[in-house]
Amino acid sequence: MASSSWQCLVGHRSFFHGESRFLSKSELFRTMQFLKRNTSEFVAHKNSFAAHPQKSLCSQVGALPDLCDFFWEKDPTPILDMIDTPVQLKNLSHKELKQLATEIRSEISFIMSNARRPYKASLSVVELTVAIHYVFHAPMDKILWDDGEQTNAHKILTGRRSFMHTLKQKKGLSGFTSRAESDYDAFGAGHGCNSISAGLGMAVARDIQGKKNRVVAIINNWTTMAGQVYEAMSNAGYLDSNMIVILNDSRHSLHPKLDDGSKMAISPLSSSLSKLQSSRSFRRFREAAKGITKRIGKAVHELAAKVDEYARGMIGPPGATLFEELGLYYIGPVNGHNIDDLVCVLNEVALLDSTGPVLVHVITEDEKGLESTDEGTSKSCPLVSDSKSMKSSLRTFNDVLVETLVAEAERDKSIVVVHTGIAVDPSLKLFQSRFPDRIFDIGMAEQHAITFSAGLSCGGMKPFCIIPSTFLQRGYDQVIEDVDLQKVPVRFAISNAGLVGSEGPTQSGIFDITFMACLPNMIVMAPSDEDELIDMVATAVRINDRPICFRYPRMALLGNGSSLHNGIPIEIGKGEILVEGKHVALLGYGVMVQNCLKARSLLASLGIEVTVASARFCKPLDIELIRELCQDHEFLITVEEGTVGGFGAHVSQFLALDGLLDGRVKVPFFSYPSHLFVDECIHALA
């Protein structure tokens, strides 16, 4: 959306992200009436603006806004307009806090739907975010979030409202919390499940230094799948440091599957009991009773503890006693959309001293505020639905992988799929529908997923562990100890490899080449296109004596992709020459081969003839291919979408050991952070 002003034919001037951010109602009405009479002309001008700026609808344009901006009037936000920092919430009444929550929900819906980004999770925690910043004193009090998608309201209230349109854009706001971005972001959250661990560390540091600030960690249903959360809770219970853990439960159940237990409802009784549990008088009475029973005797104390546990277990929902067993005092459930209840409970919890860690169980609705609008769709905006249908029609490497696995699984009943991540990728639903008993969605538990896959393999199955590159990092110890060193044939399909654009550095997969290729028994390969991906799946199916991995990006395929064909197993450690030249050899790894082909076309205009080869394998290397390229060319340039220490480093090490660096060949290699590939190629050749 534009950040500069523009002058329309109807004579109204507006700033979309400046001091006067939106059209007034009267201006918008007149503009809409004009556009309704001239919609086709507006679209024609909009599409041809780049070629004929002097004929466009607007006479002064910094950046033309989307057409949809004219069809959806933004709701007024008078209270939110007065909020620059959380401290300004302290002067608001509860009624005004409720209105503020409504305005924030409207603001998030407006910004995110126009940006066509998911925002249900953000809407579910609006009241909770308002209550947290009303009760606590950030940044002195440390507030940590596990899930970046739930922090939009937090960002709006902490001085970043005017930059929300830049979310996940270059030089814009991060999609997650970031210490470099704001003092209100106490800790960075990219992969989730780290807020309790980091918060506990901050709480212990506070105690050692004699400070009195509060530490609040907000987790959700998805992050409770990860083992680190329970490790942190157990340690928090042992250390008994004061900290507050808030569980945002949008599934209304503490069970992994909703079928295992009924969804919780917040009744007046449960609300009153939650307030009672959080009150200082009740906690002091409970601590005093503990002290008295200890003096009477061990048997009486243990009996009283059991009575307390059973009574609180009867009051709380199924599964709530788990937190008590870990050492956290459980309070809940609390209605996450009731400002009065949230403020009451959090105020009481904030006032508790020397009582150890507390878990507040908050029930929220993901669909809160979406009653009249579908997520990600602007009101009255036909362009959005067209864009979404176009996006859904694009084929990706994931689609090709799943279609190939379905074909292989039809022939081989031992093939199973293990998937990790917050949600099942839409492409996997095809496999799930065909083989519901042969796919396992593990969630955010990568360590377990890898060892589980190793167990499946030892049991006679052929597991394909589909895991994003950035999340594979969390299970690296299991890759080494439970898979590679034991030569267990687990097949790793490493998705989202390379840069992932707007998701930012925490989601980029640029390290897997380096940390997988250094393992002694791992076969490491990467397809240059969808056809090679099909062949590599067929190759992986037939490897039964050691682990194997292949990486692929999340990018869409050009066109509709080729029709699915039976995969042809590739000889291990064999690359191929795609185009022959004589001056320079470009040895690409993975999809960077396509960039090599583009660079060849550009260099041809300079009279430089280029050979392009696809390595296919980083380990083992095709040493005969590398020797041939060195002997026939003055330059051998390796290109990969990974960090230093990966494919290029392996090639350089082989060249050094083989004595090929002692001759005339020059071997520059390109990896991240070097990314201006074509410019660097030309510079190297100059």
Side-chain angles (χ1 to χ4, degrees), residues 108-109 112-113 117-123 149 370 374-376:
I108 292 173
S109 299
M112 294 302 158
S113 61
R117 299 188 185 279
Y119 57 92
K120 280 202 309 184
S122 288
L123 298 185
E149 193 179 332
L370 289 176
D374 291 335
E375 180 185 355

Side-chain angles (χ1 to χ4, degrees), residues 326-617:
L326 291 173
L328 280 73
Y329 180 77
Y330 175 87
I331 298 172
V334 181
N335 187 342
H337 300 295
N338 187 313
I339 290 285
D340 295 329
D341 286 357
L342 286 170
V343 170
C344 175
V345 170
L346 293 180
N347 261 325
E348 292 290 346
V349 170
L351 294 174
L352 296 175
D353 291 318
S354 303
T355 55
V358 174
L359 184 135
V360 182
H361 184 190
V362 176
I363 304 296
T364 61
E365 297 279 355
D366 268 349
E367 290 76 19
K368 182 70 173 177
L370 289 176
E371 292 83 359
S372 60
T373 306
D374 291 335
E375 180 185 355
T377 305
S378 300
K379 297 178 182 178
S380 305
C381 181
L383 298 184
V384 175
S385 58
D386 292 342
S387 173
K388 290 182 71 177
S389 63
M390 183 185 302
K391 183 177 180 180
S392 62
S393 66
L394 294 176
R395 279 167 53 80
T396 66
F397 277 87
N398 260 333
D399 294 323
V400 175
L401 171 69
V402 174
E403 291 168 8
T404 307
L405 285 174
V406 168
E408 293 286 349
E410 293 280 5
R411 296 187 288 267
D412 189 340
K413 294 184 179 180
S414 64
I415 291 177
V416 293
V417 169
V418 178
H419 173 263
T420 68
I422 293 181
V424 176
D425 190 277
S427 60
L428 282 170
K429 292 180 180 179
L430 173 63
F431 193 98
Q432 196 171 40
S433 64
R434 298 288 292 275
F435 310 104
D437 297 329
R438 290 159 64 184
I439 182 171
F440 305 93
D441 179 27
I442 306 300
M444 294 179 65
E446 294 82 8
Q447 294 172 313
H448 164 63
I450 292 168
T451 306
F452 174 64
S453 298
L456 285 169
S457 181
C458 292
M461 305 303 288
K462 293 182 178 180
F464 278 80
C465 185
I466 303 176
I467 180 170
S469 172
T470 186
F471 294 118
L472 181 60
Q473 297 163 187
R474 288 208 296 225
Y476 190 52
D477 180 66
Q478 283 66 35
V479 173
I480 298 173
E481 300 293 334
D482 300 339
V483 177
D484 189 79
L485 294 184
Q486 300 187 54
K487 294 186 179 181
V488 179
V490 173
R491 299 143 186 91
F492 292 98
I494 305 173
S495 63
N496 289 18
L499 296 183
V500 292
S502 61
E503 296 300 325
T506 61
Q507 305 299 305
S508 291
I510 62 173
F511 304 109
D512 60 274
I513 303 174
T514 301
F515 66 67
M516 295 298 274
C518 69
L519 300 178
N521 300 306
M522 185 73 65
I523 298 173
V524 183
M525 54 186 181
S528 62
D529 56 26
E530 60 271 28
D531 292 327
E532 279 194 348
L533 176 59
I534 295 171
D535 293 340
M536 287 185 180
V537 172
T539 305
V541 169
R542 288 155 181 81
I543 297 297
N544 296 305
D545 60 347
R546 48 187 159 164
I548 186 170
C549 70
F550 54 90
R551 73 191 313 252
Y552 58 92
R554 72 171 188 173
M555 61 188 289
L557 301 172
L558 296 176
N560 292 322
S562 59
S563 58
L564 189 67
H565 63 272
N566 290 332
I568 302 173
I570 303 171
E571 182 181 352
I572 300 300
K574 282 296 180 182
E576 65 172 342
I577 294 177
L578 303 178
V579 183
E580 292 197 31
K582 60 181 181 180
H583 297 123
V584 179
L586 299 179
L587 181 57
Y589 182 66
V591 293
M592 295 306 289
V593 170
Q594 305 303 322
N595 289 45
C596 293
L597 292 171
K598 294 177 183 177
R600 176 183 179 275
S601 299
L602 292 175
L603 292 171
S605 63
L606 301 177
I608 302 172
E609 297 182 26
V610 176
T611 295
V612 176
S614 174
R616 289 179 174 171
F617 292 86

